[in-house]
Structures are given as structure tokens and as C-alpha cells.
Amino acid sequence: MKKILLAAGLASLVLCGCSTSKTASTASSDVPLYSNVSTDAGFDTVFYYQEYNQDKDASEAHFNEAVNLFTHYNDLFDIYNNYAGMNNLKTVNDNAGIAPVTVDPEIVAMLEEAKQFYTWSDGEFDITMGALLNVWHTYRENGISLNEENKQGPLPTDAELSEAASHKGWDKVVIDDSANTVYITDASVSIDVGGIAKGYATEKIAQKLASEDNIGTIAINAGGNNRTINAKPDGSPWRVRIQNPDGEDKLIIVSETGSWSFVTSGDYERYYVATDGKKYHHIIDPETNYPADRYRSVSIITKDSSAADCLSTTLFTLSMEDGQKVLDEYEQATGNHADAIWVMSEDKKVEAKNGKDHMGFYIAWTDGLDGVITWEQ
């Protein structure tokens, strides 16, 4: 799970908890603030919504539209469940080596975007390695259950991981965008879109809302994929806090004005403690077949939530130097700039041009974030 919490003007996103609620309060600019949350919209996460708008009914309509879209994308991109009357990604995986599957154009568009990030990252971001990710998913789910019983979980063998890792490759995925079909030619290959699906859904929702009439200033937190729309009414910046990987307190705050996406990938969510006493999380390094261990978290700040999702996952497995190359490739290809923040343990410290020891961690950042970081104490 990606986790980054909106602070200050978005405090209620942090405080509203896990039950459905809706409120309307008044911001310092005298523009009413509408807040709502859904716990069952999809992607096994909580969907938080806030909108500064004089028209409360419009805000509520926008929230309902956003939730419906989030559920729709969840169903399309689900690799674990089938849905009546729909071919989704599970349908595609189930038909690997059997036949092409006709899918919604949104699936084709998302897969093609994922393929672009595969190219820009020189293969580091690879949604076709679902076989390997499924091995870790199975062991992790079992390990989490055992941890809840104060037991440690087993680890997959190197042979098991190597065998699963051998079944991947975009050469095994045939996309026909004119017919809207997807065909995985190898029955042992599967697609896992955990590194892009939620960000893609969040971005599409933001784009749809931004095109609506009577839209206000919006902040969405879709399970840690944060997207803002427009500047706050009082002109103050959005303040985003990046948490301490060892606790709920914050390390730093990043301030940006206008429409932005903020996503963090970290090792402190979706992990289990194995029989060797170590924690194993969900971000797998394709070079080692094991969870990446360079950093505690990597945050991306850019305009597009789908890109932020892909980039945060990709940079988590790469050196800072190679990560910067991916950021440069992305900007050169799209014209969109993206900034990054790396948080690492002191024993993994790699000196950077922009870097600082802080609260027991070493934090590095790209040039574009100079002057917008507040250091918590």
C-alpha cells in the first residue's frame, strides 16, 4: 500500500478514521469545506474526499461520481475476483495461453501506459512479472496471518522464486488496441498491476472531475494516492506530510500550490516477519527477486497520479543515480516534471547533492524541491 497523508488544510483526511461520514465546515477563506469518505469503494482501501465549494450539493455529487468511478476501476483492474458481465484483468490472466480477451478500452490504455514505463525504466517497472509477485503475495498473506498468531512466516526458496521470475516479458503480451483485446501467449505468465492501477484510477477520476461544471478545489486521498485539483481558495499551499517509516509521526512536510499528485512507496506497509526474523514487504526488485532494501520510502511529486504511482515503485528498487535517469526519461518523453524524495536508514546512507540527516534517517531530494520542504522536529 502507498501511504502519504495530507496535512494542515487537509487535516480531516487524516482524522476521519474508517467509518463513512460527511461534513461541511468553513475554511479560513469563507468557502465551505465538504468532506466525505468511503470504506468500500474498491482497491481494498479507504477513499477520502474534500472539496472547497460554495455549492454543497455539487460537492456531494462530485464525491458520489468519484466513488462510483473508483469502484469501476477496481473491478476492471482486479486480478483476484471476477465480476458478472465484465471481462477484467483476472479474465485476461485466466485465459493466458488460451485465447485473446475482449476488454474495456481503459484496460488497454492502462496496460499501454505500463508498457511505456517499462521502456522508460529499462525494464525495472514490469507488470508482466505477475508469477513472481504472486509467489510473494501468497507467502506474505500466509505470513501476516501467522504473525497475528505470534508466529513467523516461511520464506519462498530461491529455486521457487527463480522459476516464477522466468515467466515474464512483454513479448508474451499481445495488445490489439483496435479490437480492444489482450492475449497472454504463455500460460505461465500473468499481469499484476499493483504498481499502477490505483494511481491510474485516481488520475482518471481527477481528470473527470476537473471537467465538470461547478467544480471547486478538491483533494483526494485514494489509499495513499493523493491528488489535488486547483489551488486552495485562500491561496495557501497544499501541505503534504511524509511519515516516519517507524511510526505515525511525520518526518517532513512538502508544500505545493495548485493541482498535484503525491505518492509514497514504503517498506512499512504490507509486510510480514519471516522465520529469519526479517521483515519482507511487497515491493519486489526484479534484479534480486526479493523485496528491495535500499530505502525505507520513496515519494514522488508530479502532476499525474498514474505516473507518480509507477515512479515511486520504480525508484524504490533503483539507485538514486538510476532513479534520476528514469525521472529524466519520463520528463523527456512526456514534458512533465517529477520530483523525488528518498528516505533511507543511516546504515544504507548514500550521500547525495541534496541530502540531510534527520530524525535517525538520511533524506535526499531532487533539485525541484529546494525551498518547499519543512523539517519536522
Side-chain angles (χ1 to χ4, degrees):
M1 178 180 292
K2 311 295 177 94
K3 189 171 185 180
I4 188 169
L5 299 176
L6 295 177
L10 297 178
S12 65
L13 287 184
V14 179
L15 299 175
C16 61
C18 295
S19 61
T20 301
S21 65
K22 57 184 177 182
T23 62
S25 59
T26 302
S28 59
S29 62
D30 293 328
V31 178
L33 174 61
Y34 171 91
S35 298
N36 210 335
V37 56
S38 174
T39 60
D40 59 358
F43 292 96
D44 194 26
T45 195
V46 180
F47 185 90
Y48 300 102
Y49 184 91
Q50 291 191 331
E51 181 173 349
Y52 293 98
N53 197 327
Q54 296 288 358
D55 188 338
K56 179 185 174 183
D57 291 340
S59 294
E60 184 155 18
H62 298 151
F63 167 75
N64 290 330
E65 180 177 23
V67 168
N68 289 336
L69 285 171
F70 199 63
T71 300
H72 173 68
Y73 286 115
N74 169 83
D75 296 353
L76 283 180
F77 302 152
D78 197 333
I79 62 172
Y80 301 109
N81 300 289
N82 297 113
Y83 299 92
M86 171 186 291
N87 288 338
N88 63 2
L89 283 181
K90 184 178 186 300
T91 317
V92 174
N93 284 339
D94 288 347
N95 282 274
I98 300 173
V101 176
T102 302
V103 296
D104 188 290
E106 288 280 18
I107 290 180
V108 171
M110 188 268 291
L111 293 180
E112 290 182 335
E113 182 172 339
K115 190 174 182 179
Q116 289 180 323
F117 276 95
Y118 174 86
T119 300
W120 296 332
S121 67
D122 196 24
E124 197 73 12
F125 183 83
D126 188 359
I127 68 168
T128 73
M129 63 178 193
L132 174 63
L133 296 178
N134 185 58
V135 170
W136 277 109
H137 174 82
T138 300
Y139 276 87
R140 188 171 59 251
E141 291 299 303
N142 180 47
I144 290 172
S145 295
L146 289 171
N147 289 171
E148 291 173 349
E149 300 172 4
N150 294 318
K151 300 176 183 178
Q152 295 177 323
L155 280 167
T157 65
D158 287 342
E160 187 175 4
L161 295 175
S162 295
E163 166 62 18
S166 69
H167 299 292
K168 65 180 181 179
W170 275 102
D171 59 319
K172 313 295 195 308
V173 181
V174 179
I175 300 174
D176 185 338
D177 54 9
S178 61
N180 288 318
T181 61
V182 181
Y183 179 38
I184 302 175
T185 60
D186 185 336
S188 298
V189 173
S190 62
I191 291 171
D192 186 313
V193 294
I196 183 174
K198 189 146 52 85
Y200 183 93
T202 303
E203 182 60 28
K204 290 300 180 180
I205 290 168
Q207 291 177 8
K208 182 65 169 63
L209 292 176
S211 70
E212 298 286 355
D213 293 332
N214 198 17
I215 200 72
T217 295
I218 294 172
I220 295 169
N221 181 341
N225 287 71
N226 294 281
R227 179 65 151 83
T228 64
I229 304 172
N230 299 327
K232 291 168 68 175
D234 62 2
S236 63
W238 299 109
R239 288 163 51 83
V240 179
R241 74 185 191 188
I242 295 175
Q243 79 171 68
N244 184 325
D246 291 331
E248 291 299 320
D249 56 318
K250 53 188 177 289
L251 278 179
I252 61 176
I253 291 178
V254 180
S255 301
E256 294 283 5
T257 300
S259 300
W260 289 92
S261 294
F262 309 85
V263 178
T264 293
S265 290
D267 67 359
Y268 45 87
E269 296 284 350
R270 289 167 56 190
Y271 68 83
Y272 76 102
V273 179
T275 49
D276 61 0
K278 297 180 181 178
K279 294 179 179 179
Y280 289 85
H281 59 82
H282 69 291
I283 308 171
I284 307 304
D285 186 341
E287 296 298 317
T288 67
N289 297 335
Y290 277 83
D293 62 357
R294 294 176 185 270
Y295 315 110
R296 300 301 310 279
S297 71
V298 175
S299 301
I300 299 294
I301 300 93
T302 191
K303 294 290 187 181
D304 186 291
S305 185
S306 184
D309 208 355
C310 296
L311 290 170
S312 67
T313 302
T314 304
L315 268 63
F316 195 89
T317 67
L318 293 171
S319 68
M320 283 189 285
E321 180 181 3
D322 288 339
Q324 183 62 63
K325 290 178 182 178
V326 175
L327 295 177
D328 292 341
E329 285 283 340
Y330 170 68
E331 182 169 7
Q332 183 176 357
T334 66
N336 296 325
H337 181 75
D339 281 300
I341 299 170
W342 295 266
V343 177
M344 63 200 82
S345 301
E346 291 182 324
D347 63 339
K348 299 282 187 178
K349 178 177 177 178
V350 178
E351 293 283 354
K353 174 187 174 184
N354 306 313
K356 180 177 179 177
D357 292 300
H358 182 61
M359 295 177 65
F361 299 93
Y362 183 72
I363 301 175
W365 63 93
T366 50
D367 291 343
L369 296 177
D370 284 343
V372 302
I373 296 176
T374 301
W375 301 88
E376 292 299 297
Q377 301 299 324

Short mmCIF file of all heavy atoms in Angstrom, two decimals, residues 107 229 259 315 375:
data_model
loop_
_atom_site.label_atom_id
_atom_site.label_comp_id
_atom_site.label_asym_id
_atom_site.label_seq_id
_atom_site.Cartn_x
_atom_site.Cartn_y
_atom_site.Cartn_z
N ILE A 107 -8.68 -0.72 -19.90
CA ILE A 107 -7.66 -1.72 -19.60
C ILE A 107 -6.53 -1.63 -20.60
O ILE A 107 -5.34 -1.66 -20.24
CB ILE A 107 -8.28 -3.13 -19.58
CG1 ILE A 107 -9.18 -3.29 -18.35
CG2 ILE A 107 -7.19 -4.20 -19.59
CD1 ILE A 107 -9.83 -4.65 -18.25
N ILE A 229 -6.81 19.13 -6.94
CA ILE A 229 -7.35 19.79 -8.13
C ILE A 229 -7.58 21.25 -7.80
O ILE A 229 -8.39 21.57 -6.93
CB ILE A 229 -8.67 19.13 -8.59
CG1 ILE A 229 -8.48 17.63 -8.82
CG2 ILE A 229 -9.20 19.81 -9.85
CD1 ILE A 229 -9.79 16.88 -9.07
N SER A 259 -2.64 21.98 -8.72
CA SER A 259 -3.02 20.59 -8.97
C SER A 259 -1.78 19.70 -8.99
O SER A 259 -0.90 19.86 -9.83
CB SER A 259 -3.75 20.48 -10.31
OG SER A 259 -4.93 21.28 -10.30
N LEU A 315 11.47 3.76 -8.57
CA LEU A 315 12.64 4.35 -7.91
C LEU A 315 12.97 3.65 -6.60
O LEU A 315 14.12 3.72 -6.14
CB LEU A 315 12.43 5.85 -7.68
CG LEU A 315 12.95 6.75 -8.81
CD1 LEU A 315 12.22 6.49 -10.11
CD2 LEU A 315 12.82 8.22 -8.42
N TRP A 375 11.14 20.83 7.74
CA TRP A 375 11.71 19.74 8.52
C TRP A 375 11.06 19.69 9.90
O TRP A 375 11.11 20.64 10.67
CB TRP A 375 13.22 19.93 8.65
CG TRP A 375 13.89 19.96 7.31
CD1 TRP A 375 14.08 21.05 6.53
CD2 TRP A 375 14.37 18.83 6.58
NE1 TRP A 375 14.68 20.69 5.33
CE2 TRP A 375 14.86 19.31 5.34
CE3 TRP A 375 14.44 17.47 6.84
CZ2 TRP A 375 15.41 18.48 4.39
CZ3 TRP A 375 14.99 16.63 5.89
CH2 TRP A 375 15.46 17.14 4.67
#
